[in-house]
Amino acid sequence: MEITHAKPFEIRVDDWVLADLDARLASTRLPPEQGPPGWDAGSSPAYLQGLLDHWLYHYDWRAEEAALNRFKQFRATVRGAEIHFIHERARNHAGGKPPLPLILTHGFPDSFTRFLKIIPMLTDPAAYGGQANDAFDVVVPSLPWCAFSHEHRHASGLFGVNDIWHALMTEVLGYERFGAHGGDWGSTITEHIARSHANSVVGIHLTDVPFWHSLKTPDDLRSVEREYVDSVQQFQMKEGAYAMVQGQKPQTLSDALNDSPIGLAAWLTEKFQRWSDCDGDLDAVFTKNEMLTNAMVYWVTGSIGGAFLPYYDVLRAGPPRWIAEAVKQKIGSDQVPAGFAMFPKDLSHPPREWAERFFNVQRWTEFEKGGHFAAMEQPEALAADIREFFRPLRSAQ
Amino acid sequence: MATLATTQPFRIGVSGEVLDDLQVRLRRTRRSRVLRNGGWNGGSAPDYLDELIAYWRDEYDWREHEHVLNQLAQFVAQIDGARVHYVHEPGLGVRSVPVLLLHGWPDSFLRYRYAIPLLQGAHDDYVDDLTCDVVVPSLPGFGFTGQIGAPTDIPSIQSTARLLHRLMTEVLGYEQFLVAGGDGGSAIAQSMAIQFPEAVIGIHLTDIGWHDHGDRLTDIEQKYVAAVQRKFMEDGAYAAVHMSQPRALAAALNDSPAGLASWIVDRFHSWSDSPRRFEQSFSKDEMLTNITLYWVTQTIQSSIYGYLAEARQPSLGKDDYVHCPVGLALFPRDMAVPPRRLAERNLNVLRWTEMRMGGHFGAWEQPQEFAADLKSFVIAVTDPFSQRAIDGNHARKAV
């Protein structure tokens, strides 16, 4: 009876898509090398040239595709959306209670590939120096408008993803209770799951405090909180252009990025460079293969515009939406145990006091290395934190 | 003193190879629809852009437009190694006043193509007494002036003002002249007036540009500034990207003609007189000639670098003041008509005209009205007894 609606799925990109891509790459018109040096004004010309060369002469999509397909993937129609997800079951789990199901939600500019490194560390901790009974059944969906997922209606947008995820975990996969983890948009969606489906959620683990809380500042801010709120505003002023354009003009930007592979890769890698703990050198933290496979997931599915929809949804949400969200906030739960893993080079650095305003904070870990993409940058550290956070919550399963 | 400024006639002649490559790219354009409802909600309307790209691919003929543009007398000057492409058309009347016309982004020297003959004084059966010698450059980083030179040499408003002053004086031999401009052209015109008060005898602007006003504004002025900021939050993302990470965007726009078209169309649409009747303001041929200019010269990246330079070092401060006479022709559908008091903080306003129709590209959309207002201003500046000096709106009613 399990996965009645889910069908096994393998990525299999048509040859003509790859031939067309090759033709585009071979005739790429890189912008002239002008302006400030390095990454100062956006993408580094030298990095882009190197990335293009790698893409043209070394990158092997079929090999990457085979590697992605080593993860068990499915597609299921959930609440009218076609959802692509990885579903990997616990291995070598040491008896007793069944393994804890865990749903991991990605954000921007990454994709489901964000979690590839930590999946085995969570399904088979014993193989990675952990405890066998810390194993999880792991579910990693693609957001409904990204990669191999598909949603025509874009019905409730960002604010409805939590309902889809809940239905995926309970109705499609048959789990009664589960844990959830996420960062970036994944953290907002994960918070929504806990709020609106508290009875199904044993705990949530986040790598940031969802940014939208800082849109409304309480009067009684402590000075560390004030610093944080100010820094979020600073970030929006100095670094927020990508979010503005993705929210205001998702179609216009998609018109360009969906027609130029190097343009797409430039837009995405620039965020990885700015938001990771790479000390300016993107190659030091992410291989070019990693960067290109993340871009390819959007290229071959033509879905980069979908990755902008959460920004559009937040920007265009009118009073009715915010009232509905406020009501959900009021009647929803803020009691689900929450764990936070904070990485030093992430976009924002909220103090624990700030998180405690909105969450039942049970664990708060500050790491010494890592940035916005902890699951890719510091997979061992993040996986260990997730396992430890959920260990005491497993009895509530 | 050795002259380091020379000039040569120029004709546009894009290589067939570039046009063939463009055709290949247009044929393989990958379109996507991001929003269910489409329209202009999330940027360029997908239906419009589909049509525009099909038209570009199947019907638009660059050679025909190139031929028409080459009817204009064009030159390329070399000034200390810097290149400037410009149109130079003489006035036809008994007395001619030199006027430098400055475009902005994302338009080009095409902004003034319809105004040029009107300013020259040519009419079907007569020639005006007072006419204009018209100089229309492609700004540094734009069009046939070309990409910026050295990797770190981003043109600022001030450096562009200095270069164009040398064009007018050293290359063309004008001692005194007027400058007209809109968008970035407005800021450059102001900077020229401030840096070269002996040469610039008047400036005519379609917007007041941007000054850091500090916190000294009155309520009415603050309301205007707040309205501009609101507009920025709704529609200003393009500028935010240009100011911070232009190179992350330029990689796509320099590689995808459809992407370039969409980025530019989005602005023309937002800033046109009537977005609902967009094609009445700008035909597909007009849009595509402007877009193709950016494409064939690969200047989209260098054209947006100006925003980065401005963000890092604003060119006009709150205490900068233009002493020469200033004429303002304010089009109703440009971003917002400022309170006159605000304009007068930085500009010696001689003439203030609120135009009846037109948007950000007023000189392009309403060339007759624009040229008439500019000529009235030229008369006001050169003939201080003219009735038309004081108030453009009043004068028009009186006529």
Side-chain angles (χ1 to χ4, degrees), chain A residues 257-268:
Chain A
L257 304 192
N258 193 50
D259 193 43
S260 163
I262 199 68
L264 174 65
W267 188 257
L268 299 179

Side-chain angles (χ1 to χ4, degrees), chain B residues 69-340:
Chain B
L69 292 179
N70 280 333
Q71 310 296 307
L72 295 167
Q74 295 165 80
F75 304 85
V76 168
Q78 298 284 346
I79 304 170
D80 278 346
R83 184 189 146 92
V84 188
H85 161 256
Y86 61 99
V87 173
H88 187 203
E89 286 283 354
L92 304 171
V94 182
R95 196 161 70 90
S96 265
V97 178
V99 179
L100 176 70
L101 296 159
L102 304 177
H103 67 83
W105 188 90
D107 52 313
S108 60
F109 75 99
L110 298 176
R111 175 188 280 238
Y112 297 109
R113 61 192 285 200
Y114 305 121
I116 290 170
L118 302 172
L119 294 168
Q120 282 181 283
H123 299 276
D124 286 342
D125 46 2
Y126 71 101
V127 171
D128 298 334
D129 291 340
L130 182 126
T131 60
C132 301
D133 278 3
V134 184
V135 181
V136 188
S138 298
L139 295 178
F142 286 74
F144 298 109
T145 289
Q147 301 153 6
I148 60 173
T152 51
D153 187 17
I154 297 181
S156 68
I157 296 291
Q158 279 93 344
S159 71
T160 296
R162 286 192 290 274
L163 183 70
L164 296 175
H165 173 253
R166 294 189 67 186
L167 174 71
M168 291 300 278
T169 54
E170 290 176 42
V171 177
L172 300 176
Y174 296 121
E175 274 176 33
Q176 294 198 309
F177 53 89
L178 284 90
V179 187
D183 195 88
S186 167
I188 297 164
Q190 293 180 47
S191 179
M192 288 182 81
I194 290 166
Q195 291 187 70
F196 307 104
E198 72 293 345
V200 177
I201 58 174
I203 63 175
H204 182 265
L205 312 173
T206 53
D207 56 72
I208 61 171
W210 52 90
H211 293 257
D212 174 15
H213 293 288
D215 49 6
R216 60 178 181 179
L217 299 183
T218 63
D219 286 354
I220 291 174
E221 292 169 325
Q222 234 144 29
K223 236 173 100 182
Y224 164 78
V225 171
V228 171
Q229 273 166 0
R230 248 193 334 273
K231 186 101 182 162
F232 178 77
M233 292 314 291
E234 286 163 14
D235 198 39
Y238 78 96
V241 174
H242 294 179
M243 288 189 286
S244 54
Q245 285 94 30
R247 225 156 32 200
L249 173 71
L253 303 190
N254 200 58
D255 191 43
S256 160
L260 177 68
S262 186
W263 196 253
I264 291 178
V265 158
D266 189 26
R267 293 299 84 218
F268 272 83
H269 176 265
S270 271
W271 296 338
S272 64
D273 179 64
S274 172
R276 284 172 189 281
R277 295 190 301 275
F278 180 52
E279 293 203 57
Q280 286 178 18
S281 288
F282 300 102
S283 70
K284 290 199 172 77
D285 279 295
E286 287 177 295
M287 282 313 312
L288 289 174
T289 300
N290 187 56
I291 292 163
T292 307
L293 264 180
Y294 281 87
W295 178 262
V296 299
T297 55
Q298 300 203 46
T299 48
I300 188 61
Q301 178 175 272
S302 50
S303 74
I304 63 180
Y305 270 157
Y307 290 82
L308 186 79
E310 268 305 293
R312 292 181 179 190
Q313 179 82 56
S315 56
L316 297 170
K318 68 176 168 24
D319 299 322
D320 282 323
Y321 188 79
V322 175
H323 290 276
C324 72
V326 177
L328 283 161
L330 301 163
F331 290 89
R333 298 305 175 92
D334 204 342
M335 282 160 232
V337 173
R340 182 164 177 159

Side-chain angles (χ1 to χ4, degrees), chain A residues 99-326:
Chain A
L100 182 65
L102 179 67
I103 184 166
L104 312 175
T105 308
H106 72 84
F108 178 87
D110 47 275
S111 60
F112 72 94
T113 63
R114 177 185 182 117
F115 297 115
L116 298 182
K117 285 178 190 161
I118 67 168
I119 291 172
M121 298 172 189
L122 296 172
T123 54
D124 192 4
Y128 292 84
Q131 306 174 11
N133 52 8
D134 273 342
F136 296 90
D137 278 4
V138 175
V139 177
V140 181
S142 294
L143 291 184
W145 329 278
C146 291
F148 303 98
S149 286
H150 193 62
E151 192 195 28
H152 286 293
R153 303 171 307 132
H154 186 50
S156 45
L158 173 70
F159 304 97
V161 177
N162 72 95
D163 295 334
I164 299 177
W165 274 197
H166 177 252
L168 173 68
M169 293 300 276
T170 56
E171 293 166 28
V172 179
L173 299 178
Y175 294 123
E176 257 178 60
R177 304 200 71 207
F178 56 89
H181 161 88
D184 197 272
W185 290 120
S187 116
T188 294
I189 292 164
T190 300
E191 180 185 7
H192 287 170
I193 302 177
R195 176 197 67 190
S196 298
H197 304 281
N199 290 337
S200 306
V201 182
V202 302
I204 58 172
H205 183 268
L206 308 175
T207 50
D208 53 66
V209 175
F211 80 98
W212 56 273
H213 289 295
S214 63
L215 298 178
K216 217 173 44 184
T217 35
D219 299 330
D220 59 341
L221 282 184
R222 272 159 274 189
S223 67
V224 279
E225 293 178 292
R226 163 62 57 199
E227 258 172 59
Y228 160 73
V229 170
D230 288 349
S231 77
V232 172
Q233 276 165 5
Q234 283 257 317
F235 174 83
Q236 282 168 340
M237 293 297 293
K238 282 171 60 183
E239 301 274 334
Y242 79 98
M244 253 178 106
V245 72
Q246 293 180 172
Q248 284 180 9
K249 306 287 177 178
Q251 181 67 50
T252 303
L253 188 61
S254 167
D255 288 340
L257 304 192
N258 193 50
D259 193 43
S260 163
I262 199 68
L264 174 65
W267 188 257
L268 299 179
T269 53
E270 197 254 355
K271 310 299 171 280
F272 279 97
Q273 195 272 348
R274 297 183 92 79
W275 301 347
S276 66
D277 189 1
C278 72
D279 206 14
D281 180 9
L282 186 53
D283 285 322
V285 171
F286 300 101
T287 65
K288 289 196 166 73
N289 277 354
E290 246 178 316
M291 290 291 89
L292 290 177
T293 296
N294 185 59
M296 281 294 278
V297 157
Y298 287 104
W299 178 262
V300 301
T301 55
S303 65
I304 190 59
F308 304 152
L309 285 175
Y311 298 86
Y312 178 86
D313 290 338
V314 167
L315 200 70
R316 300 297 174 103
R321 165 57 61 193
W322 292 123
I323 291 167
E325 287 299 304

Side-chain angles (χ1 to χ4, degrees), chain A residues 316-365:
Chain A
R316 300 297 174 103
R321 165 57 61 193
W322 292 123
I323 291 167
E325 287 299 304
V327 169
K328 283 194 212 166
Q329 199 72 19
K330 191 128 196 131
I331 60 176
S333 170
D334 56 4
Q335 287 313 303
V336 172
F340 287 84
M342 310 310 290
F343 290 85
K345 296 297 167 72
D346 206 339
L347 308 186
S348 66
H349 307 96
R352 180 172 180 152
E353 291 89 331
W354 178 254
E356 281 171 345
R357 288 178 183 270
F358 317 107
F359 295 94
N360 171 14
V361 180
Q362 298 283 312
R363 182 181 176 86
W364 182 271
T365 317

